[in-house]
Amino acid sequence: MNIYKMSCDVDYYERVFNARKQNIYAYKSNIPEISKKVGRDCSHLDFSPGLNELLEDVVFFCETDNSLQSYNYLNNVHGWPIVHERVKDLLTEEHIRGVLFFPLRIIHDKSGLPEHGFYLLYTSNFIEAYDMERSMYKYLEKYNAYMFFPMKTVFVESECSQYDIFRCVKDPVPLYVSQRFYEIIKSAGYEGFSFHKVQ
């Protein structure tokens, strides 16, 4: 069974910058203001279990005034998996279970014009993915958190094989996907995604 860690392909964005001399990066958001308003840090909503909606109208700001419509995964300050509508439509057509898409406002900071069609890709699949007996990790009691060693992490295949996308309840930061999910994105030719095989 193949499992991949999915994230933004920063090398792809570096190549775009070198070729076109434009930095496609949502460098700022209104998340700090939202966090102050609600009294808690909202910068990690993407790996918060039980999210049904965004608390407020979330806005990201981009440095460029050029259209972002050709980009599939938007590089951003919070590391959120922000995808274009065509990715949303493809994953919906392929019946990927356990994904929700929350619309975001993307604003070009120089012109103030909006960029339409971008969403936070959120998974509601938080599972016991790691084989705790065979994996190496350190438990941080102060934070009630686990720190897993990347090359010493073993997955429970019987659990993970039921999902095309998931996060682990004991370490929710990494976003994992199946071979099927990987092939769907690769077959579509959607750039901007990074897939690192972990098992």
Side-chain angles (χ1 to χ4, degrees):
M1 174 185 178
N2 293 332
I3 299 173
Y4 299 84
K5 179 180 174 182
M6 186 182 85
S7 60
C8 182
D9 185 350
V10 292
D11 291 335
Y12 167 74
Y13 279 96
E14 184 175 343
R15 292 194 301 273
V16 168
F17 176 76
N18 290 334
R20 303 179 195 167
K21 302 302 178 191
Q22 60 176 347
N23 190 7
I24 308 302
Y25 180 65
Y27 73 99
K28 185 174 76 169
S29 78
N30 67 341
I31 293 291
E33 291 79 11
I34 293 173
S35 297
K36 286 179 186 175
K37 185 176 178 181
V38 302
R40 66 183 179 91
D41 184 7
C42 296
S43 58
H44 304 301
L45 291 176
D46 58 320
F47 51 82
S48 301
L51 187 67
N52 294 314
E53 62 181 357
L54 296 181
L55 301 174
E56 300 271 345
D57 184 23
V58 176
V59 183
F60 281 82
F61 298 89
C62 277
E63 294 175 317
T64 180
D65 277 340
N66 297 323
S67 173
L68 305 177
Q69 290 303 303
S70 63
Y71 298 96
N72 299 297
Y73 195 124
L74 186 60
N75 194 8
N76 66 91
V77 63
H78 297 300
W80 284 13
I82 298 177
V83 299
H84 191 269
E85 188 170 32
R86 71 183 139 265
V87 177
K88 169 186 171 288
D89 292 344
L90 177 62
L91 296 179
T92 302
E93 288 169 13
E94 293 290 342
H95 306 290
I96 299 296
R97 294 180 295 118
V99 288
L100 299 172
F101 296 93
F102 300 113
L104 303 170
R105 282 204 299 140
I106 312 295
I107 303 293
H108 294 283
D109 63 355
K110 293 175 185 173
S111 67
L113 295 174
E115 186 76 39
H116 301 287
F118 284 93
Y119 295 80
L120 165 63
L121 184 160
Y122 173 81
T123 181
S124 58
N125 299 328
F126 285 80
I127 66 172
E128 293 287 353
Y130 299 138
D131 184 328
M132 300 300 286
E133 292 183 6
R134 297 167 61 204
S135 296
M136 286 188 64
Y137 60 90
K138 185 175 184 180
Y139 177 64
L140 308 173
E141 188 173 354
K142 180 179 178 181
Y143 303 103
N144 188 28
Y146 295 82
M147 183 178 73
F148 287 83
F149 297 91
M151 303 307 292
K152 304 282 186 177
T153 302
V154 181
F155 292 82
V156 180
E157 291 197 8
S158 59
E159 179 71 14
C160 298
S161 63
Q162 301 175 54
Y163 302 93
D164 285 312
I165 184 169
F166 63 87
R167 293 185 190 267
C168 183
V169 293
K170 289 190 171 62
D171 181 21
V173 178
L175 181 58
Y176 297 111
V177 299
S178 67
Q179 181 72 30
R180 177 173 177 256
F181 189 108
Y182 168 85
E183 289 175 357
I184 287 170
I185 296 297
K186 286 295 185 181
S187 295
Y190 290 163
E191 295 183 286
F193 291 81
S194 172
F195 295 100
H196 175 69
K197 189 175 176 181
V198 293
Q199 183 162 313

